[in-house]
Amino acid sequence: MKKIAVFISGTGTNMQSIVKACEDRIIDGAEVSLVLASKPSAKGLSYAKDKGIATEVYLYGDKDNGQISKELIEIMESHSIDLIALAGYVKVLPEEFTKRFDGRIVNIHPSLIPLFCGKGYYGVRVHEEVLASGMKVSGATVHYVDSGVDTGRIIAQDSCPILEGDTPETLQKRVLKIEHRIFPEAISRLVKTI
Ligand code: GRF
C-alpha cells in the first residue's frame, strides 16, 4: 500500500476527494496516511481526524529553508510517505524538499496553467482575474511541484465554460468540481508508476 501525504491550508475539499477516491479504490493501492496543515486553524484537519488519519501542523515561523526542508523530510520519513499531494497548501516548499521528492509531489491549481498562476494567485483571486480578463473558458491543472510557484510539468487539465453572470464564487464552484475529479484521477495514475 502506497502512502500519500496531503498538505492543506484551508477547507481541504480536495483532500477529502483524495481520501474518498482511496476508499472507493479509484486510487487503487494507496491510502492517505498523513494530512499536514500549514496552520492549526485549517478546517480540513477535523475531517482527517474524524477519519482516523494522522495529522501534523507544521509552522514555518522564522525558520530558514534548510531547517524547513530537514524537518519536513523527517516528518515524511517518519510516516514512510511515497507521494505528496498539495491541496490548497499556500506555503512554498524549499528546493531541497522538492528535490528530495522529485516526481512525487503534485499540486492542484484552479486555472489553466500557464494562465493565472504563480505568486499571489490563490483562492478566489484567481477567479476574479480570470473573469476580469474576459476569457470564455477556465479550468484546473494538476502539475508536478518543483522549486518554483506553479511551474512544474503539467500532468492533467480540464476546462469549463465561463457563463454570463458568473461571479468569482460561481466560477470557483464550477472549477472546484473539475479539481475533485482530475486530481484523484491523476494521483491514481501516478501511484501505479512510483
Ligand atoms: C483549490 O481551489 C485548489 O486548486 C487551490 O486551493 C483551493 C483549495 O480548496 N490550490 P480546498 O481546500 O481543497 O477546498
Side-chain angles (χ1 to χ4, degrees):
M1 202 63 137
K2 299 273 162 55
K3 293 180 185 294
I4 303 172
V6 185
F7 286 22
I8 63 167
S9 295
T11 320
T13 63
N14 277 289
M15 175 268 292
Q16 293 177 30
S17 74
I18 297 166
V19 170
K20 201 164 176 302
C22 289
E23 286 172 357
D24 297 346
R25 300 184 71 175
I26 290 164
I27 300 173
D28 201 12
E31 62 187 3
V32 176
S33 304
L34 174 67
V35 171
L36 181 141
S38 62
K39 52 183 178 192
S41 59
K43 282 196 194 133
L45 282 171
S46 53
Y47 174 88
K49 283 179 188 151
D50 287 350
K51 285 273 175 192
I53 299 167
T55 59
E56 294 266 0
V57 174
Y58 184 77
L59 304 174
Y60 281 29
D62 54 9
K63 294 168 195 167
D64 63 25
N65 280 345
Q67 190 181 355
I68 294 169
S69 292
K70 185 174 168 282
E71 290 177 352
L72 281 177
I73 289 169
E74 274 168 16
I75 296 172
M76 296 307 107
E77 285 177 347
S78 71
H79 290 271
S80 307
I81 295 303
D82 299 296
L83 177 69
I84 299 164
L86 307 186
Y89 186 68
V90 297
K91 292 286 187 186
V92 177
L93 290 165
E95 191 168 2
E96 193 187 331
F97 183 81
T98 57
K99 282 211 168 122
R100 167 71 176 72
F101 290 95
D102 189 32
R104 292 189 292 139
I105 314 183
V106 291
N107 180 48
I108 181 84
H109 184 76
S111 79
L112 295 171
I113 290 177
L115 300 174
F116 310 102
C117 60
K119 212 159 183 261
Y121 278 96
Y122 62 85
V124 83
R125 157 111 204 274
V126 175
H127 308 291
E128 284 167 2
E129 297 282 332
V130 171
L131 289 180
S133 76
M135 296 269 303
K136 293 294 178 198
V137 291
S138 191
T141 304
V142 182
H143 64 92
Y144 287 109
V145 174
D146 59 16
S147 58
V149 180
D150 302 330
T151 49
R153 193 157 59 84
I154 293 171
I155 302 169
Q157 275 182 322
D158 203 0
S159 62
C160 62
I162 293 171
L163 304 177
E164 203 64 42
D166 258 341
T167 63
E169 289 74 23
T170 58
L171 180 57
Q172 184 175 42
K173 222 171 142 189
R174 195 173 308 121
V175 170
L176 203 51
K177 261 195 179 165
I178 296 177
E179 297 180 37
H180 294 164
R181 177 171 44 80
I182 67 170
F183 204 15
E185 281 173 4
I187 291 171
S188 125
R189 290 195 299 273
L190 197 57
V191 157
K192 294 189 183 110
T193 68
I194 57 171

